[in-house]
Amino acid sequence: MQKVLVADDDDNIRKIILHYLRKQNINPLEAEDGQLAIQLTFEKKPDLVILDLMMPEKDGYDVCREIRKFSDVPIIILTAKGEEFDRVLGLELGADDYMVKPFSPRELIARIKAIFRRVEKISVSTEKEKYFTYDYGDVQIDVDRREVIIKGNNITLRPKEFDLLVHLAKNPGNVHTREVLLEQVWGYDFIGDIRTVDAHIKKIRLKLKKLGCDVLQTVWGVGYKFKL
């Protein structure tokens, strides 16, 4: 049974979400503060985390940052804050999706299911692609070992960053829109924020440029491509 951690200091919000999760035969976990959310994510290894931004002990931003140090579990930020800055910051810290209170529990469940489909799809796709290696001179990508070597140096990418780079490297020179990347890499129909893609591309670029590599090109108004 899939597990979802609901981290929110509002008892009523937690009860509503837990109710809908149980109706979908999803095993719910709950945390009323940020520190407990980190602890439960580490110990119980949920399949997804629903994370409120404004919590005691540690706020959602700190929780997201700490979780990303040891886990790539999908995170949906759920908060009363709706400003663009808050959304972008949450995505840059590693969140996968963003919903603003008040929210529709049914929409939240739909997004959770979409992410679960994405995870399953990516697992199948990764299994099929094992033993593939992409060699573009200064850039080598070993899909089986999930390694990226730039000019002889290994770089560390988070799982989703690696999947995104591999997808772009598969078809060098082809332009991929953000919507297509969300569907193909994240594996769900476009219901998330396209800035999820931008945030991940930014992180990959920073890591590549430290080694003097600039293979990811922005095609303004369209998307991104891997350039040789």
Side-chain angles (χ1 to χ4, degrees), residues 84 87-88 91 178 182 193-200:
E84 181 177 354
R87 294 198 301 272
V88 173
L91 295 172
R178 293 169 177 82
L182 272 175
D193 193 318
I194 60 173
R195 279 164 293 198
T196 300
V197 177
D198 298 335
H200 281 73

Side-chain angles (χ1 to χ4, degrees), residues 4-199:
V4 171
L5 171 62
V6 182
D8 196 310
D9 63 335
D10 188 318
D11 292 340
N12 291 328
I13 294 292
R14 290 203 314 276
K15 287 178 181 177
I16 291 171
I17 299 175
L18 295 179
H19 170 73
Y20 276 85
L21 289 175
R22 292 188 180 102
K23 286 179 65 176
Q24 299 298 321
N25 293 318
I26 296 172
N27 183 23
L29 306 169
E30 58 180 314
E32 66 273 9
D33 64 65
Q35 189 59 51
L36 181 57
I38 296 170
Q39 179 183 339
L40 289 177
T41 302
F42 183 78
E43 294 178 353
K44 302 297 183 180
K45 295 179 174 53
D47 299 292
L48 184 142
V49 175
I50 299 171
L51 182 62
D52 182 44
L53 284 185
M54 297 296 102
M55 289 189 297
E57 302 297 333
K58 287 182 180 289
D59 65 26
Y61 295 127
D62 287 337
V63 173
C64 192
R65 190 181 291 109
E66 289 298 317
I67 287 176
R68 283 292 173 255
K69 291 179 180 179
F70 62 84
S71 174
D72 198 51
V73 61
I75 297 175
I76 296 178
I77 287 179
L78 187 65
T79 178
K81 286 194 171 184
E83 290 81 3
E84 181 177 354
F85 172 80
D86 297 304
R87 294 198 301 272
V88 173
L89 180 56
L91 295 172
E92 288 184 346
L93 288 174
D96 295 78
D97 205 351
Y98 195 106
M99 289 189 69
V100 179
K101 299 175 182 176
F103 64 96
S104 163
R106 288 186 176 85
E107 181 183 355
L108 177 60
I109 293 297
R111 294 193 184 204
I112 292 171
K113 287 184 175 180
I115 289 177
F116 284 162
R117 288 195 299 271
R118 175 260 291 179
V119 171
E120 182 178 357
K121 181 178 178 181
I122 293 299
S123 296
V124 172
S125 177
T126 300
E127 186 66 27
K128 289 180 179 179
E129 287 185 346
K130 275 188 175 181
Y131 314 117
F132 276 62
T133 301
Y134 299 94
D135 191 339
Y136 298 120
D138 288 343
V139 182
Q140 291 92 42
I141 304 172
D142 188 322
V143 178
D144 181 36
R145 296 178 181 273
R146 295 186 71 82
E147 291 181 346
V148 178
I149 301 173
I150 307 297
K151 299 180 180 180
N153 299 288
N154 281 69
I155 67 169
T156 301
L157 296 180
R158 289 175 175 168
K160 195 53 58 191
E161 295 168 0
F162 181 86
D163 294 338
L164 180 56
L165 182 62
V166 167
H167 186 81
L168 292 168
K170 274 195 262 183
N171 301 288
N174 288 3
V175 181
H176 303 260
T177 67
R178 293 169 177 82
E179 289 82 0
V180 167
L181 289 171
L182 272 175
E183 181 181 350
Q184 296 298 318
V185 178
W186 275 258
Y188 53 82
D189 294 335
F190 178 55
I191 58 176
D193 193 318
I194 60 173
R195 279 164 293 198
T196 300
V197 177
D198 298 335

